[in-house]
Amino acid sequence: MSGLLAVTTRSIFRAAIYLLFALIGIAGLYFWMAYEFIAAVQIVVYVGGIVVLIIFSIFLTQQSGEKLPQQRLGRQLFAALAAFCGLALIMVQLYQHDFIGSPETATAPTVVNIGNQMLGTEVGGYALPFEVVSILLLAALVGCIVIASTSNSPKRGEIPITKPKPLTN
Amino acid sequence: MSEFITIMKSELMVTAIIFILLFIKLGKGIKNEHLLAGIQILLLLNFAAGFFMNFEASLFDDMYQTTPLIAFQKNILNLGMYLISLLFADWFKKTDHLAEFFILMLSALLGMFLLLSSGNFLMFYLSLELATIPVAALANFDLQKKISSEAAMKMILSSAFSSGILLFGISIMYGVTGTISFAALPALLDGSTIQVLALVFLFSAFAFKLSIVPFHLWTADVYEGAPFAVTSFLSVISKGAIAFVFVSTLYKVFQPMHTVWYNMVMVLAILTMLVGNLFALRQQHIKRFLAFSSIAQVGFILVGVSSNNDTTGIPSVVYFILIYVFSNLAAFGVAAVIASHWGKEKIEDYRGLYRSNPFLSWVLALALFSLAGIPPTAGFFGKLFLLTSGASNANYAFIGIAALNMVISLYYYLRVIRSVFMDKNENPVTPITIDPYTKLGLIICAAGIVLTGVLSPVYDYIVSLLQVN
Amino acid sequence: MPNSFYILMIPLLPLAGFIMLGLFGRKYFKNTSGVIATALLLASTLLAFYTAYGYFFEYGKVDGVYQKLVPLTYHWLEFTKTLTIDIGVILDPISAMMLVVVTFVSLMVHIYSLAYMKGEERFPAYYAFLGLFTFSMLGLVMAANIFQMYIFWELVGLSSFLLIGYYYDKPAAVAACKKAFIVTRFADLGFLIGILILSFYSGTLDFKTLISALTSPESSALKTATAASFLGISALTWGLVLVFVGGAGKSAMFPLHIWLPDAMEGPTPVSALIHAATMVVAGVFLVARLFPVFAISAPEALHLVAYVGAFSALFAAVIACTQTDIKRVLAYSTMSQIGYMMFALGVSKYSGEDGLGYTAAMFHLFTHAMFKALLFLGAGAVIHYVHSNEMKDMGGLRKYLPITHITFLVACLAIAGVPPFAGFFSKEEILLAASRNSSTIYYIALCTSALTAFYMFRLYFSIFWNKEAHAHGEHKGEGGFAMMLPLVLLSVGAAAAGFIPFGHYVSTDGKALESEFHLSFSIAPVVLGLIGIFTAMWLYLKQNDKPGKIAGSLNGFYKIVYHKFYIDEIYVFITKKIIFNLIGRPAAWFDKNIVDGLMNATGNTTALISEKIKGLQSGKVQQYGIYFLAGVISMAILFIYLWK
Amino acid sequence: MNLLLLLLIPLVTALAVLLMQNKQQVRWAAFIGAIMQLVLAVLLYACYRTARLGGQTAAFLFEKKYNWFPDWNISLHFGVDGIAIAMILLTSFVVIAGVLVSWNVEKMTKEFYFLLLLLSLGAYGFFISLDLFILFFFLEIAVIPKYLLIGIWGSGKKEYAANKLALMLMGGSALVLVGLLGMYFGGAGKTFDLLQLSTVHIPVATQRICFPLLFVGFGVFTALFPFHTWVPDGHSSAPTAGSMFLAGISMKLGGYGCLRVATYIMPEGAKEYANIIIVLSSIAILYGAFATMMQKDLKYINAYSSVSHCGFVLLGIGMLTQTAITGSVLQMVSHGLMTALFFAVIGMIYERTHTRQVEDMGGLLKVMPFIATVLFIVGLCSLGLPGLSGFVAEMTIFVGSWQNADAFHRIATIAACMSIVVTAVYILRAVGRTVMGPIRESYVHLTDARWNEKLAAIILILGILAIGIVPSWLNELVKPGAAIIMQKIEAIK
Amino acid sequence: MHPGLNEILIISTTLFFIGVYGFFTRRNLVTMLMSVELILNSVNLNFIAFNKYLWPHKLDGLFFTIFIIAIAAAEAAVAIAIIINLYRSHQSIDVENAEEMKY
């Protein structure tokens, strides 16, 4: 998996590209499971948004060709061990558990259904979370502006250098 | 529609204030002093409004629910918010981004309100993030300070990690039970090991937010780096909100698994109190000191939580948080005043404070005594009720450890008291003229510390709220 | 029954004196305090005489037997329903006798001190203390309750302490008063435990009921008390022995005598009153008070009394021969005489003729009070004159102190047992009682008697004869009327008291006891006494080197005796080396280092742990993450697998 | 008689003190408040006497109950019996004396008196509480004033001592707290009410856990061996009035708690642990006495002797006879008065000579006869001289202890009795060295006590004498209380 | 052919821990952020899989995923803003350089 490479490679830019592939792979899995909408969102938001953002920030903060400093071996081993223990534990648990699904008929994950539910206020509607997310994004926006804007200049009200683009809403 | 407004009035009020601020920000610049006064009035109104028309209701397919108790909890947070706006007036007046600051803080507050009212895991998760991400941004608000951004970085990364863990837990829970609704969940819990696993994941995320040992490590660093206002927001309001949710989630949603979580709570409570106290013992920096002391306080809250008894556990936690709001805010308020006038944040810098600033000293002493649980301050009652509800399981060793931890904690609180009252300082500090807002805030806190305990109706009121449903 | 009010006044008058002078003496009665106190005591003395008279001759005797009367009680403290301290007045022959002795000697001392202590800075305090002492001693002798006796016993100890330490700026006086108090206190511990034992078995603290409970053979109290045993000795015996220990401490019996010689640091009149006539005989009085119990129920304890008394008598007499400080000689003599009384009690039995020892002891107590007080007061006059206690500073004083000389001689004759002086009669009875009971004790007693005569006359000759005297500076004369009157009165007593038919009044069972004379029996002691006197005369009448030679020839022994058999040193060793170094110091060390150390170590350990675990908070956000995950995993493992 | 007055007066006085303008006003305000306390306490005693003579037989009189935190079944339940009244009287005596001897505290006078009054408030509240929660509340109220008194106005290693005291006392109260919670849940169905708890039978298993917690917890306050180490340091570093309050009042809280809470409510527990208590307290008595012998500082002497004397209190409780328990209450009162006086005198001497080392003094009787005499009297009281209060108390304990006929109790009693000799040794050593002997050149000009000091000493001496000379009133006052406790213990025999 | 539930779970769990491992070991803050994104993605995968295979009658999992993605975006934005700020003050985005506050 390219995800593994993404976390091990020493070049930060390559890491970003590997991440891209991992995300696309996941999108592929969504397709495979016939959740096309999610796959689309995944590609749009992650591939189109977050990864670009990350790459952007990499450009801002670092030269792309520079090798990443290695983590201490002890730490690496310990982290690997911890991760592996966790993995094993969860695998065992998941494996031991018999997942019994619901017998009811499936609701098709079509765009229409999703759209209706997303903005519905009745049973099964997700209007409230939707609003919450919008506030969250607004707040994030404000936060980003303040943090990234004037840190080095004493004056206020200046145009921000970076303006992260909110992706939804 | 009007029903909708009354039910969600606290959220709507806060949202309204956010938007007012947003418009003000977009419009022409107003002087900080005036803006601050306006904000304070709005927050006071908000707090006052919180007392009216509270009843039990739910909206959006049970995604949003409220009870008088939840409304009261929200109002405690409102109160805290108002006090923060008073106490750190010095800093607010100087900051460049006052409106943004409050926008973010109120968004976080809104997140907490929604958190308190959340009826399923999705809302829970979203509002939790809403309550966290703006605060991470806030932590960076001392833009010139290196440690401020370090604090923000630590906060955002660790909270992202913890939300990862949380989500993983939720996903397993969802996989096993097929629901994300709190109402439907208890019936589907059977205590199987995978559910325990999911619970552990969820629990750790809570523990992270409440800074329970061993998930507390971000706390001290973030507290130290963030501006005072943010630190106190984190330590009082977010912690309070999460604690409320924590109790109700454990009691209501995970009630079928209470034997499991009782043990978790107990183990973590002991660890938390011990580690928090041991670290607090050796802190020199007042903020880190208060950070670890608040970790230890959470340990005590856990003792109360462990009672698993609606009629004692919940009110005692709510009551304690109310007192904790007063006490901790008073302590932070005094520390902030001193920091902003002297630029000193070390405990040893407090030596001889009493000579020059008796008012600040007394407030600080009251606050610390309250935190230490010394009568007649309210903290005594708060802690005692927590321990009493914890003792209902007849686990005396546990309660004994908790009680002994009170002694350790007394030691370090007394250390500060000693600096303030007893130690001599070669270069005595000049008396500080305290900003009137701050003074008002400190007086409210002090009055709260004294009166909340002695006046038993406060506690009765909390219990009565509980009995409405 | 007598009207009780005036009896109450006997002790209360001196107490009033104490309070008045103690509180206001310094301010208002700087000079008049002596007169006030003396007047009060005079009243008290008259009342005491009146009471004694009334008791002995009017109402005390019912059917030829003197009764124990308790005219007054006050419910002072109730421990339990039965164990109560009822402060009261008991009237029986010995208490009536003691009333007389105490008030009379005290009065003499009061009068004497008017002159002797004149000009002292703390004159009012002195009289206040005397008043306190008289009050306590009277309370002691009239005690109707064993606990009351203990109370006054302690108070007497206090007043003794105060008076010994009267010259508080003299380190020797301070040391002496502390020593006196502590040694007697140690003995009182025995008394106290004895009281606890006796009261536990008899179920009462009241003397009358206590004695009857522990003497009547059919009482269950007696049975349980004798049945219970500890280390093979019955509880009752233990109790009595412990009570006797208390008495021995107060009465300076071996080995608790060490405080008495040092107590001579006090003003001489005080020595006369407390350390000769009254307080020191409290032990004898105590044994006498409980005598029925001793005699009937625990004769073993009485044997102990006898042997301790006899040994002390001889022991003190030997030491007295070598001392050079005249007051110390008198002190050892006192100890010796009290030993006499003790063994007299010890050899006595209950009832009738066999109770002769008891009567004799009381009789000796009475006469001894007279002549010993006289001796001390005389010695005081001498000291007053020469400003020294040492024999070597004296000699040939008969010319300068004629009255003192005569009275002192009377006293010496009395104590030496020369007929017809008082000492002869009482001693005679004691020896008789001893000879009837135990020959060992009898021979010891004889021996002591001879020694007594020797050292007393050694003293006498050394003071009044020996080398030729030179006039001592400015003040001539004998201190005036106030000092001489008591001497004269007491010498009359010392001379004539022997003719009182003591056995008629004081006996074990209250019935009259005819004192009998056996001329043949008297020869041995009197002859021995005379030998002692003449030896002393031979050695000390004129200044010569004979004593030194003899001392030299007995070098080692003399030294040991001169150093009082090193008893003091042994005590010092025990207290300083053992109690202080082996118990006190380790206790203090243990407290400081171990107990407190533990408490502090708890604190330090906490701090240490706190320091050790600071690495957790490394400031590295990734490490935080690892701990986070580790926490999650370990919790999961713990709660899934280990703790279900 | 409304017992709330006992709380109101100190409270009002404390607040009044805060409002005063200058130091002189502060002093007088505190003094007047203290007088009112004393008057009230005496009045309370009189009312109590009258009520009892009038035939009231309830265990606790003047009962009042106000709801407070009804959800926890907590109420402000007040009431007194003879034991409580004895302790209240003691407190009022010590308070007035403490106020008087602090007359010339110049440093932060207002705060000083405020804390003193707060402390007295805590003590009164503690003694009149019939609800364990408020009892605990008042117990803890009294801790912090002590800490501040020592830390701010103390001398020597004051910070160390203040910390140690506060921590050990809080440790003790933490144990008490756990014990109380045990009673709350294990007793009469979630109640802290003493009266209710005393009527039910608490399961023996609960008692087995809670009794030692409570006893040791309270024991820390009253210098139970080996938790006595705060005593020497705390007392010696405290300012005069602080030491007086500490030893005179605060240590009594512990003894009262041991008796009223631990022993009264849990008779089985008391029986079960009695032997351990006896062993510990006998050790404390002797060991404290021996340790005192080696001390050179007057305050340390009194502090260690307090350890020894408080050992008697616990011994009396451990002996579990009515007389012994009565004795231990008497001992509390007696020791409270005596030790307060002792500290007062030490303070007076220290103020003049600027030393507390026994070796450095001597002959003080010459220049300060009043102070010296008082020192002497208090020493005598300490060594249990008849006519003074110590004797009455100790003898009552001895007699009471002796009623247990087995060898173990006997040996313990004898050990305790032995301490009277050791006490005599160290007291006379101390008094002899300071008061008697030749005077030092530098002390010749020193002056005797001032009016306030004299008044303080006289008040305390009057208390000591009142018990020592006429003990029956106190004995009769205390005895019914002890009888009630004994009834419970005898009921299980 | 569709992948089975187990396969998806294995993939997602592995991905989760890869993310965790990355979070623990990468010293670059941006890559740490990327690791977090991996974690969130694995969770998304879980939700979708559970929704698809076990509880298809409602779209809870799907919605959860959508919202997670949105939040992830916001979180990433704020995080990057903070990181950039940190870079300005520290001239580095190495996590080891930002450990001024400790103990």
Side-chain angles (χ1 to χ4, degrees), chain D residues 179-456:
Chain D
L180 289 187
L181 293 179
M183 320 252 19
Y184 181 71
F185 290 105
K190 300 202 180 174
T191 179
F192 282 116
D193 195 286
L194 194 81
L195 293 186
Q196 271 169 286
L197 283 171
S198 67
T199 51
V200 294
H201 179 261
I202 296 169
V204 177
T206 312
Q207 295 199 16
R208 215 167 272 159
I209 299 170
C210 291
F211 183 82
L213 285 171
L214 282 171
F215 200 91
V216 172
F218 282 120
V220 174
F221 279 78
T222 193
L224 170 70
F225 178 88
F227 304 105
H228 64 274
T229 59
W230 63 272
V231 178
D233 290 320
H235 285 49
S236 60
S237 305
T240 304
S243 312
M244 289 168 68
F245 275 50
L246 259 186
I249 301 175
S250 167
M251 288 176 84
K252 307 301 164 287
L253 300 184
Y256 183 82
C258 285
L259 195 58
R260 169 72 78 230
V261 182
T263 313
Y264 182 41
I265 302 182
M266 291 180 285
E268 276 103 338
K271 263 190 101 67
E272 205 148 307
Y273 290 97
N275 287 358
I276 297 175
I277 297 170
I278 290 171
V279 169
L280 287 181
S281 52
S282 308
I283 291 176
I285 292 171
L286 272 183
Y287 164 93
F290 278 116
T292 316
M293 280 201 325
M294 305 316 298
Q295 304 303 322
K296 297 187 173 62
D297 183 311
L298 272 178
K299 274 197 163 184
Y300 272 99
I301 289 174
N302 193 24
Y304 272 106
S305 86
S306 287
V307 172
S308 174
H309 283 119
C310 284
F312 281 113
V313 175
L314 295 176
L315 181 77
I317 296 173
M319 286 295 177
L320 295 181
T321 64
Q322 188 186 329
T323 313
I325 289 178
T326 311
S328 76
V329 177
L330 294 183
Q331 172 75 358
M332 279 195 260
V333 178
S334 149
H335 176 250
L337 293 170
M338 167 185 96
T339 198
L341 183 56
F342 206 149
F343 277 121
V345 178
I346 295 170
M348 296 175 203
I349 293 176
Y350 179 69
E351 199 191 310
R352 291 167 173 78
T353 61
H354 303 290
T355 178
R356 291 196 307 250
Q357 297 300 314
V358 171
E359 271 89 4
D360 298 345
M361 299 185 210
L364 298 181
L365 187 56
K366 190 153 264 162
V367 286
M368 31 182 121
F370 182 84
I371 294 177
T373 311
V374 174
L375 180 65
F376 198 76
I377 290 174
V378 78
L380 293 177
C381 184
S382 177
L383 56 77
L385 197 89
L388 302 171
S389 58
F391 174 81
V392 176
E394 281 172 17
M395 291 308 136
T396 314
I397 291 175
F398 293 153
V399 172
S401 305
W402 200 263
Q403 286 166 7
N404 294 302
D406 57 308
F408 172 74
H409 288 90
R410 287 283 147 87
I411 291 169
T413 313
I414 291 174
C417 289
M418 269 155 71
S419 82
I420 65 170
V421 181
V422 188
T423 311
V425 173
Y426 65 71
I427 290 290
L428 291 186
R429 189 171 147 265
V431 172
R433 286 263 173 84
T434 46
V435 169
M436 301 163 109
I439 190 165
R440 283 188 139 206
E441 202 60 29
S442 50
Y443 295 153
V444 174
H445 62 278
L446 297 178
T447 51
D448 206 354
R450 284 179 296 274
W451 70 269
N452 55 313
E453 293 166 335
K454 280 188 180 168
L455 188 55

Side-chain angles (χ1 to χ4, degrees), chain A residues 7-11 66-77, chain C residues 622, chain E residues 21 24-28 94-96:
Chain A
V7 295
T8 50
T9 183
R10 298 188 62 195
S11 155
E66 196 178 301
K67 291 272 177 188
L68 287 175
Q70 252 318 345
Q71 185 57 266
R72 283 201 318 277
L73 189 65
R75 168 76 62 78
Q76 278 189 1
L77 277 177
Chain C
Q622 289 175 320
Chain E
Y21 174 74
F24 290 166
T25 51
R26 303 320 299 263
R27 289 176 56 175
N28 187 306
D94 191 335
V95 69
E96 305 265 299

Side-chain angles (χ1 to χ4, degrees), chain B residues 103-138:
Chain B
I103 290 171
L104 289 178
M105 208 173 243
L106 288 170
S107 319
L109 187 67
L110 180 62
M112 286 161 201
F113 285 179
L114 291 166
L115 187 64
L116 284 168
S117 290
S118 61
N120 70 10
F121 277 123
L122 180 57
M123 276 306 293
F124 174 77
Y125 169 67
L126 290 178
S127 42
L128 196 62
E129 289 296 334
L130 180 55
T132 313
I133 293 174
V135 182
L138 284 173

Side-chain angles (χ1 to χ4, degrees), chain C residues 545-558:
Chain C
D545 56 355
K546 278 175 272 178
K549 272 189 194 153
I550 292 171
S553 66
L554 289 169
N555 194 7
F557 184 67
Y558 181 81

Side-chain angles (χ1 to χ4, degrees), chain C residues 42-94:
Chain C
L42 181 64
S44 169
T45 311
L46 293 176
L47 285 173
F49 275 91
Y50 178 66
T51 310
Y53 176 82
Y55 178 77
F56 283 121
F57 303 110
E58 282 171 10
Y59 47 77
K61 210 167 192 169
V62 178
D63 302 330
V65 176
Y66 280 113
Q67 301 293 312
K68 277 194 170 63
L69 301 177
V70 183
L72 263 178
T73 52
Y74 165 68
H75 199 61
W76 194 68
L77 183 61
E78 179 181 300
F79 291 131
T80 64
K81 282 274 173 290
T82 52
L83 291 181
T84 57
I85 304 183
D86 293 321
I87 297 269
V89 172
I90 197 168
L91 275 183
D92 70 348
I94 53 172

Side-chain angles (χ1 to χ4, degrees), chain C residues 549-570:
Chain C
K549 272 189 194 153
I550 292 171
S553 66
L554 289 169
N555 194 7
F557 184 67
Y558 181 81
K559 222 166 147 190
I560 292 172
V561 178
Y562 184 75
H563 287 111
K564 309 151 213 163
F565 295 96
Y566 295 100
I567 301 283
D568 271 320
E569 282 72 12
I570 293 170

Side-chain angles (χ1 to χ4, degrees), chain B residues 9 13 43-54 75 78:
Chain B
K9 69 172 175 3
M13 288 279 291
L43 287 173
L44 188 59
L45 280 175
N46 182 28
F47 171 58
F51 283 108
F52 302 108
M53 294 186 290
N54 295 319
N75 224 15
N78 272 333

Side-chain angles (χ1 to χ4, degrees), chain C residues 131-184:
Chain C
L132 176 65
F133 170 76
T134 314
F135 160 70
S136 330
M137 194 66 211
L138 289 169
L140 194 158
V141 299
M142 301 197 306
N145 183 297
I146 191 164
F147 228 107
Q148 181 190 357
M149 190 148 176
Y150 181 74
I151 291 170
F152 286 103
W153 189 268
E154 291 285 314
L155 284 177
V156 164
L158 167 71
S159 17
S160 154
F161 169 84
L162 289 171
L163 286 165
I164 298 171
Y166 178 74
Y167 297 114
Y168 64 89
D169 45 2
K170 263 169 63 187
V174 176
C177 68
K178 288 199 303 202
K179 191 171 177 184
F181 195 90
I182 290 166
V183 173
T184 50

